[in-house]
């Protein structure tokens, strides 16, 4: 039942993030030139929107050029003041704080015409990694 | 009104990390919309849930407030009201609601909002009930209650009007119930 509970928390927070992401992209993409391709949209997410939400840009963007993108934030703001007695404990407790941002990313991409799945994890606080798999992703 | 001027100065001078206002508006609006869905548009329950969320925020926010503003204890409830509007609302929402309508015993006042960042771009559902039943920004009442409880004031706060409902002003009524006395910890034995 803990898994069910965790899943429902995920669905809920992710959905809230999705709606916020839709609104953000609408609000902050209206004054910029039209996007040329998928990478252009991802860059907009990493630079402009990340700054609106977390006051810094994504530190590292990797892609396989087949629709998979990995975004790394070395100092993810929500994690800035988190600590626990043990490392494993801290990482486990930090995980739910990634659900909402995952939704934001998916919402932003969705409203700019990109269907994707987004997963996030943290190996070491305060860094966070987001993996975006777009619908046409090939391994 | 020396205390009031001092509060205004503290509110102006306190430096805080800013976040984008539209991010706050959007996130809050999304939460309210989700709660309306969760409770099947039973707005009494939505109001109550928002108040509860605010209470939990307020209990933590007071700590941040005291650390940032570096102010001490208020000497009376009038000072408390000034502190809330000129320092609290100023540093967290960048607005200064007007304190007015004091009761004769100085235990009740109103906060009038010229602007309300939580309610920017908001339209209430036109189901014929939200206009009469939903207090969109009710989280603020909970925040006040939670924060003041942590500094030993038991208060009651509720909205009496909201421009979102078509009223002329947005107004929160705040009532001091009592000052909470220090209590001895329960005996060990």
């Amino acid at each position: 039942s803990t898994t069910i509970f965790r899943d429902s928390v995920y669905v809920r927070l992710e959905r809230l993030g999705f709606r916020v992401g839709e609104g953000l992209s609408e609000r902050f993409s209206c004054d910029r030139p039209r996007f040329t391709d998928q990478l252009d949209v991802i860059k907009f997410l990493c630079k402009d929107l990340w700054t609106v939400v977390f006051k810094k840009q994504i530190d590292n963007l990797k892609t396989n050029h087949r629709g998979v993108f990995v975004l790394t934030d070395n100092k993810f703001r929500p994690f800035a003041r988190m600590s626990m007695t043990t490392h494993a404990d801290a990482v486990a407790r930090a995980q739910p704080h990634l659900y909402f941002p995952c939704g934001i990313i998916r919402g932003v991409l969705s409203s700019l015409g990109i269907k994707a799945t987004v997963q996030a994890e943290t190996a070491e606080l305060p860094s966070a990694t987001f993996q975006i798999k777009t619908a046409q992703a090939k391994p | 009104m020396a205390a009031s001027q001092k509060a205004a100065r503290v509110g102006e001078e306190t430096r805080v990390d800013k976040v984008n206002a539209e991010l706050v508006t959007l996130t809050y609006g999304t939460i309210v919309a989700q709660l309306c869905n969760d409770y099947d548009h039973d707005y009494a329950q939505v109001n109550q849930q928002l108040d509860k969320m605010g209470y939990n925020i307020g209990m933590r926010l007071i700590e941040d407030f005291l650390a940032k503003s570096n102010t001490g204890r208020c000497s009376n409830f009038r000072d408390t009201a000034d502190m809330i509007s000129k320092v609290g609302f100023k540093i967290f929402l960048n607005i200064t609601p007007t304190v007015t309508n004091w009761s004769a015993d100085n235990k009740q006042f109103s906060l009038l909002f010229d602007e309300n960042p939580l309610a920017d771009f908001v339209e209430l559902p036109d189901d014929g009930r939200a206009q009469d039943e939903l207090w969109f920004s009710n989280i603020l009442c909970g925040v006040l209650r939670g924060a003041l409880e942590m500094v030993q004031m038991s208060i009651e706060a509720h909205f009496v009007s909201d421009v979102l409902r078509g009223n002329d002003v947005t107004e929160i009524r705040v009532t001091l119930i009592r000052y909470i006395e220090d209590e001895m910890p329960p005996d060990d034995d």
Side-chain angles (χ1 to χ4, degrees):
Chain A
S1 73
T2 36
T3 332
I4 295 175
F5 177 71
R6 199 174 55 225
D7 286 354
S8 68
V9 170
Y10 172 79
V11 168
R12 209 182 151 79
L13 289 176
E14 207 269 353
R15 194 186 299 158
L16 290 173
F18 183 85
R19 176 67 193 96
V20 172
E22 282 182 325
L24 285 175
S25 65
E26 204 170 291
R27 182 67 191 82
F28 294 97
S29 68
C30 60
D31 294 328
R32 64 178 311 293
R34 187 177 288 272
F35 295 101
T36 51
D37 58 5
Q38 214 175 57
L39 185 61
D40 207 23
V41 174
I42 301 278
K43 280 186 186 163
F44 168 70
L45 171 71
C46 295
K47 291 182 177 177
D48 303 43
L49 278 181
W50 217 257
T51 308
V52 169
V53 183
F54 301 115
K55 300 179 65 163
K56 72 187 283 292
Q57 299 185 1
I58 280 284
D59 295 301
N60 191 293
L61 164 62
K62 282 187 188 145
T63 172
N64 68 351
H65 297 289
R66 290 198 182 106
V68 179
F69 302 87
V70 177
L71 282 49
T72 311
D73 188 335
N74 295 328
K75 209 177 159 210
F76 187 52
R77 208 168 151 83
F79 291 170
R81 290 165 203 242
M82 278 188 194
S83 70
M84 290 292 289
T85 39
T86 69
H87 172 78
D89 222 10
V91 168
R93 295 260 187 147
Q95 200 67 29
H97 293 259
L98 292 165
Y99 301 164
F100 186 77
C102 276
I104 291 187
I105 296 178
R106 205 167 62 81
V108 168
L109 296 179
S110 159
S111 62
L112 296 173
I114 300 175
K115 270 203 185 124
T117 55
V118 182
Q119 283 179 316
E121 57 177 28
T122 173
E124 186 79 57
L125 299 177
S127 85
T129 319
F130 298 85
Q131 193 192 60
I132 301 168
K133 267 193 196 137
T134 59
Q136 33 319 24
K138 296 179 192 77
Chain B
M1 267 276 155
S4 163
Q5 278 163 15
K6 180 177 167 264
R9 207 190 60 234
V10 173
E12 281 300 327
E13 288 172 358
T14 305
R15 288 279 151 259
V16 284
D17 262 1
K18 299 210 166 54
V19 296
N20 187 285
E22 279 154 354
L23 176 64
V24 176
T25 308
L26 259 172
T27 308
Y28 184 70
T30 307
I31 289 171
V32 179
Q34 180 66 42
L35 286 176
C36 290
N37 268 331
D38 289 350
Y39 291 110
D40 214 9
H41 297 257
D42 179 340
Y43 297 117
Q45 287 212 50
V46 175
N47 293 338
Q48 198 189 353
Q49 191 62 29
L50 286 171
D51 182 89
K52 201 163 131 195
M53 291 166 79
Y55 178 73
N56 291 329
I57 293 173
M59 286 200 295
R60 289 154 180 258
L61 199 69
I62 187 69
E63 193 121 2
D64 196 35
F65 170 84
L66 293 173
K68 280 187 174 125
S69 65
N70 196 23
T71 51
R73 187 172 286 271
C74 294
S75 52
N76 56 48
F77 201 48
R78 277 186 174 262
D79 284 355
T80 306
D82 269 332
M83 226 23 129
I84 290 168
S85 89
K86 297 200 173 81
V87 187
F89 274 99
K90 176 71 188 167
I91 64 182
F92 291 118
L93 286 179
N94 198 24
I95 55 172
T96 308
T98 310
V99 177
T100 180
N101 293 343
W102 279 98
S103 62
D105 59 2
N106 281 333
K107 284 184 176 168
Q108 280 188 38
F109 66 90
S110 290
L111 291 166
L112 294 187
F113 295 80
D114 299 332
E115 42 179 344
N116 176 5
L118 294 185
D120 281 346
F121 322 116
V122 170
E123 275 178 45
L124 297 187
D126 58 354
D127 55 5
R129 291 188 301 114
Q131 296 277 336
D132 299 321
E133 294 167 19
L134 176 65
W135 294 115
F136 184 83
S137 305
N138 213 38
I139 200 164
L140 294 178
C141 297
V143 172
L144 290 174
R145 191 163 56 85
L148 291 179
E149 188 172 301
M150 292 293 111
V151 286
Q152 292 170 300
M153 270 171 265
S154 174
I155 62 129
E156 196 276 330
H158 62 271
F159 274 90
V160 291
S161 63
D162 190 341
V163 287
L164 286 179
R165 291 187 174 197
N167 302 126
D168 293 337
V169 286
T170 301
E171 175 178 351
I172 296 182
R173 190 80 182 144
V174 182
T175 309
L176 174 65
I177 300 171
R178 65 190 175 94
Y179 285 98
I180 303 165
E181 302 295 332
D182 283 330
E183 277 173 32
M184 294 294 282
D187 257 338
D188 279 343
D189 42 44

